[in-house]
């Protein structure tokens, strides 16, 4: 999963809690703006682009519900996670009905807050676009490769190699670049293994009107086959 650049607006009038949450989120490489009233939240959300909002319901001045209502009436789709101290199901239902995306009841565990915020931001980001060259189409979201609508069965690593070659179509890429692209977690993969993946991919996409040229001693280039 690619790293998300997250800019969080945290709205919480309990200063100790606000400070604690902000520290946790910053510890996860998020940029955090903190405001302590509903009015300040409304002002911040009118003027700044945020990735996600963490919003306490009980606030001085306008409450969290009103902040969400105004936000949605301006047409904003920024995801909102409500924090509520109240053990009141009606509050949660109301929050979701007026356009909040999720909620957490205080007290909550820090890892759950972080996980939910990441999930909200991921869901709100547009899906990656399909890659198409010749008659081969890759749907990165569904992780599906098709030729003329026929699904090509690929292992996870074959998929990753093919996706990288497609993203760099008509460019020469080295075997080392391929290894770096498919293995962000520091696993070991040999140059020989890359050759094996590429040769399997070649036979699987043989009907797609593409060729994967070998650049001897260096790497590969995917391009449309000459007819
Ligand atoms: Ca409060």
């Amino acid at each position: 999963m690619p790293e998300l650049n997250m800019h969080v607006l945290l709205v919480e009038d309990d200063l100790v809690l606000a400070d604690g949450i902000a520290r946790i989120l910053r510890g996860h490489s998020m940029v955090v703006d903190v405001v302590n009233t509903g009015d300040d939240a409304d002002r911040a959300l009118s003027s700044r682009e945020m990735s996600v909002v963490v919003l306490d319901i009980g606030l001085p001045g306008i409450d969290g519900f009103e902040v969400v209502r105004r936000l949605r009436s301006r047409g904003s789709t920024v995801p909102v996670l409500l924090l509520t101290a109240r053990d009141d199901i009606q509050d949660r239902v109301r929050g979701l009905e007026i356009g909040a995306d999720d909620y957490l009841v205080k007290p909550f565990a820090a890892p759950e807050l972080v996980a939910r915020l990441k999930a909200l931001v991921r869901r709100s980001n547009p899906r990656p676009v399909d890659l198409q060259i010749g008659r081969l189409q890759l749907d990165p979201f569904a992780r599906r490769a098709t030729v003329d609508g026929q699904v090509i069965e690929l292992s996870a690593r074959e998929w990753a190699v093919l996706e990288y070659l497609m993203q760099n179509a008509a460019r020469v890429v080295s075997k080392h670049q391929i290894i770096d692209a498919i293995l962000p977690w520091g696993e070991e993969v040999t140059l020989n293994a890359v050759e094996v993946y590429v040769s399997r991919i070649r036979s699987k996409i043989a009907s797609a009107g593409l060729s994967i040229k070998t650049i001897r001693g260096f790497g590969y280039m995917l391009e449309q086959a000459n007819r």
Side-chain angles (χ1 to χ4, degrees):
M1 205 52 91
E3 267 307 299
L4 298 161
N5 288 319
M6 290 179 52
H7 193 167
V8 182
L9 181 69
L10 171 60
V11 189
E12 172 56 73
D13 60 317
D14 178 332
L15 300 185
V16 174
L17 184 59
D19 191 52
I21 295 173
R23 211 167 320 145
I24 289 162
L25 300 183
R26 286 174 186 138
H28 287 265
S29 307
M30 301 180 193
V31 176
V32 185
D33 292 359
V34 183
V35 295
N36 309 114
T37 70
D39 299 277
D40 285 346
D42 191 48
R43 258 190 296 279
L45 288 167
S46 305
S47 60
R48 277 177 257 168
E49 279 288 323
M50 311 299 294
S51 323
V52 65
V53 184
V54 179
L55 179 61
D56 188 28
I57 291 179
L59 293 166
I62 66 171
D63 67 8
F65 294 126
E66 179 62 14
V67 172
V68 176
R69 201 192 58 72
R70 294 188 190 182
L71 179 69
R72 296 302 181 228
S73 73
R74 287 192 296 270
S76 170
T77 58
V78 62
V80 175
L81 180 138
L82 289 178
L83 297 180
T84 173
R86 302 169 213 185
D87 190 19
D88 182 347
I89 208 93
Q90 285 310 315
D91 261 8
R92 302 175 210 164
V93 170
R94 184 172 165 213
L96 296 173
E97 275 176 355
I98 60 174
D101 300 275
D102 201 355
Y103 64 85
L104 271 181
V105 179
K106 298 181 205 171
F108 48 83
E112 184 173 13
L113 174 64
V114 170
R116 283 180 184 235
L117 291 181
K118 286 185 175 175
L120 283 174
V121 171
R122 228 175 257 135
R123 255 185 274 152
S124 70
N125 279 340
R127 49 175 289 167
V129 293
D130 286 4
L131 295 166
Q132 174 150 25
I133 299 167
R135 304 199 327 275
L136 176 65
Q137 188 158 13
L138 294 196
D139 177 345
F141 194 71
R143 294 217 142 216
R144 193 173 53 200
T146 52
V147 174
D148 296 336
Q150 294 271 64
V151 175
I152 309 291
E153 298 293 342
L154 296 165
S155 72
R157 286 189 177 175
E158 288 163 10
W159 164 273
V161 172
L162 180 56
E163 184 182 37
Y164 186 71
L165 290 171
M166 292 277 279
Q167 286 164 345
N168 292 282
R171 286 207 290 267
V172 174
V173 295
S174 74
K175 290 176 194 172
H176 289 287
Q177 283 175 311
I178 292 174
I179 291 174
D180 288 346
I182 66 174
L183 290 173
W185 306 288
E187 286 175 61
E188 287 293 313
V189 159
T190 62
L191 296 175
N192 283 344
V194 172
E195 289 169 17
V196 171
Y197 299 140
V198 169
S199 96
R200 287 195 202 136
I201 292 167
R202 268 201 190 107
S203 62
K204 289 180 179 184
I205 65 168
S207 63
L210 296 178
S211 80
I212 302 175
K213 267 196 188 142
T214 299
I215 315 297
R216 210 152 282 290
F218 185 73
Y220 302 97
M221 181 169 72
L222 180 142
E223 59 182 2
Q224 271 191 273
N226 295 323
R227 329 210 120 226

